[in-house]
Amino acid sequence: MPPPSATPPLLVQRPAGLYVPAADLHIDPVRPVERAVITHGHGDHARPGHGAVLATPETLAIMAVRYGPDHAGATQPLPYGRSLDLGAVRLRLVPAGHVIGSAQIVLDSGGMRAVVSGDYKRAPDPTTPPFEPVPCDLFVTEATFGLPVFRHPPIGHELARLAASRAAFPDRPHLIGAYALGKAQRLIASLRESGEAGPIYLHGALERLCALYTELGVELGPLRPLREAGAADLAGALVLAPPSALGDRWQRRLGDPVTGLASGWMRVRARARQRNVELPLVISDHADWDELTATIAEIAPARLWVTHGQEEALVHWARGLGIDAEPLSLQGYTDEGDGAGETEAPA
Amino acid sequence: MSPFADLLEALAFEPQRLGKLRHLTRYLSRTPDPDRGYALGALAGTLDLAAAKPALLRRLVETRVDPVLFALSYDYVGDLAETVALIWPSRPPTEDPPRLGEVVEMLASAHRTSVPGLLEAMLDRLDASGRLALVKLITGGLRVGLSARLARTALAEYGAVPVEAIEEVWHGLDPPYTELFAWLEGRAPPPRAEGRGLFRPVMLAHPLEEAELSHLDPAAFAAEWKWDGIRVQAVAEGGRRRLYARSGDEITAGFPDLLPALDFEGALDGELVIASGGTVRPFADLQSRLNRKAPAPALMERLPAAIIAYDALSLEGEDLRARSFAERRARLETWHAARAPDRITLSPLLPFASWEELAARRAEPPGPAVEGVMLKRRDSPYLAGRVKGHWWKWKRDPFTIDAVLLYAQRGHGKRSSFYSDYTFGVWADDGLVPVGKAYFGFSDAELKEIDRFVRAHTVGRFGPVREVTHTEEEGLVLEIAFEGLQRSARHRSGIAMRFPRVARLRWDKRPAQADRLATLEALLAAIEAGGG
């Protein structure tokens, strides 16, 4: 049943990314555009050089830290829940639960509603408000972990494995690779919740974003730059670094650390082996298969667009439920960062 | 099941031997009987629970999972057992996860027809890592890189006893090893090694530094050739005949052609070799018979196994281990002369009056299956393990060549930030051809130098591997030491090296000065001709 031809579509696909014609607005464009709305601060979604950027205040703060205050011609903060009318479209940002400031973009126009999820998760995260499901006609979902083999255990389960390793090797530092934005802070905040009160040592590439989280009111406890740690501090210490630093010359100062990596990919042994770590921790800021399918079932959209990730399986599953599902092949988005791009920084 | 699953996970990702030991001893100290004993058996290969074939798992999972989703997942994961473990859609559990002991006992006593139902119920009670442990357990492929020997070492560490004491009783015991743990925890006397045909811990030799010879009296020692086979202990007791490797692992099944020769009551120590027409064949021939559970008759005819005996630990029911080497040797010779057994020869004693005379003999070995000489104190008892001062091995000098570094890969554990695994090559008509890999032999300082060279001279990257500059003028020449050469269809050069290591860094040489493949081929021909 095609929509009346008089109504232009609310969302279309363009080379730079998803585009809202009625508002002349790109969503997470992968190249500089006049007007952009950004779902969250990860480098493949938030890029510098746009004319005007609309995003949550937290996402704008992240972009300013990463790219400098002049990363866009103009910026407009829009807190969660506040509506903004742009031509015939009413736009609202709703928590996505992915990282601090991450938002779904809710677009209402002519009685139709589209929701672009950005990246999201349903598992609890002390650094960000939880994902809010919004009923809609068209839902654009991510599918990073869109295969039924990806089911992330509760984070407490993985933190217990980290604790067990620290108990087994009390003299060795534990070096954990964690994405610099979001993963690292969620890991720290969750460790604090689980009772870890001691200092946590940071690779230089994590310092600015951890400081920003603290400014934004997330309690991270005592953090220390690794370069200030003496040899005596390092026995049994917990050290966080971006994944790209694992196996790098940088880690030699730690002697013989137990190395771990916090990533949803660690669920699959072959992927974990490739990373050459001893302690693969299945911790992800993306929805796993159960969360993806539960979310789609809960929202029950008439149409579903599936993007960046394992689209095929999720599309197959959704069609089985009678949902009009299609894969979107958006270029320029990486999967959950366990190495590439933004993690490179001086130690 | 979950502690066992955690242990398997930790072992699978732990590259260091000491780390594996630590994980296993912690598990043994925190897990009750019988779970830990079954885990030990599963790791050491003594628990045979091959209760299900992969096809059964596939059938089970297909009753619950959409076939398209399964196919996409299997394609991504690449391993059937792991795909099943990860994708299994649990129903809300009505019971606690089963303990390992429960799983083992249930499967061991189950009728074949009830296995699928039992399995399904157990998969429902486990989480993903528990399911993976279960699936690996029943399909017989734990693959966590832990040898039976390392498992026994962990037991020794756990009980603070020598590993030889574990080896002495190990083959008489079965999972779940409760009497073994009772002894190690001081709750019971040592289990009695009552079964017949048990392994005796092996006496090992120290490598000889030639400078030490001046402190040793030649008259106090007997000398023999050091044979290039594998150490074997042949035991025949009460009608049981068994062959053990030095590690204590049983290898009887691989050498049925030797069993008729074990026509004695006792335990002999010697070298397992391939021998035909009165000559001992090169190690390469033995290698094609190792790790075969049931060798084909044609293979046994072409490559017949033999034992070169050099010690008697027990004969005619008498334990000889406390007696001197000279006495044991006399008993061995008397027995051998009386029986003249087929396929068991004696390792001849080499007469010598001075170390110089022995050195001259060592320089002229009788064939390719000799890799040096052994020195054994005439008055030494047979002592388990590597006890210094009794037995010495004086290996022939290694071969060396100059090769060019081609590729480097980062190591594991402590070395994960260093390029420490090297592929090297020599010159053939059309350029450099890889001839081997080396991971050791260099000092920590040299490792740093090579690492720096690799990072500064990378010309290509293939995943974790870096290709480094290797032109005639620019590149790193490595002096490679090795113990022997053999033909190999798996290597592009057609040659495989035994035990290659980096002997020296030749910064003073240009790659053009490295050796040629023809040099190695000539050496191989000489080895095969018996020149050594």
Side-chain angles (χ1 to χ4, degrees), chain A residues 151 168 252 269 271 276, chain B residues 22 76 82 86 412 417 451:
Chain A
R151 286 133 101 201
R252 289 183 195 163
R269 281 202 172 174
R271 296 261 330 216
N276 200 4
Chain B
R22 179 83 62 97
Y76 181 87
E82 192 179 346
L86 293 178
H412 294 269
S417 70
D451 180 79

Side-chain angles (χ1 to χ4, degrees), chain B residues 55-67 70 84 87-89 91 116-117 119-121 123-124:
Chain B
L56 168 63
L57 290 168
R58 209 173 166 145
R59 278 205 307 283
L60 281 180
V61 79
E62 279 173 354
T63 62
R64 294 211 183 182
V65 178
D66 176 300
F70 181 78
V84 170
I87 208 172
W88 187 263
R91 301 186 170 131
L119 214 50
E120 196 172 353
L123 287 167
D124 277 338

Side-chain angles (χ1 to χ4, degrees), chain B residues 259-380:
Chain B
L259 295 186
L262 270 51
D263 183 19
F264 55 84
E265 187 72 18
L268 302 186
D269 188 1
E271 199 81 358
L272 178 61
V273 295
I274 301 299
S276 58
T279 40
V280 181
R281 315 263 314 150
F283 185 81
D285 286 343
L286 177 58
Q287 213 164 30
S288 39
R289 284 207 49 187
L290 293 175
N291 299 322
R292 277 177 203 253
K293 286 216 166 120
L299 181 70
M300 290 192 282
E301 200 168 316
R302 188 164 60 83
L303 301 173
I307 293 173
I308 303 174
Y310 38 67
D311 216 321
L313 314 190
S314 152
L315 271 177
E316 284 128 25
E318 187 191 347
D319 190 336
L320 302 175
R321 287 181 287 177
R323 295 174 182 264
S324 69
F325 174 77
E327 279 181 84
R328 300 197 309 275
R329 174 80 196 191
R331 291 285 291 266
L332 179 66
E333 287 176 4
T334 308
W335 165 80
H336 192 263
R339 292 288 179 90
D342 192 26
R343 308 224 64 77
I344 299 181
T345 57
L346 286 190
S347 183
L349 293 181
L350 307 175
F352 68 102
S354 67
W355 295 127
E356 290 72 28
E357 194 182 336
L358 188 61
R361 277 182 162 272
R362 167 177 168 268
E364 300 281 332
V370 168
E371 52 170 13
V373 296
M374 295 291 302
L375 302 178
K376 297 178 178 176
R377 275 195 76 93
R378 295 178 187 279
D379 59 2
S380 292

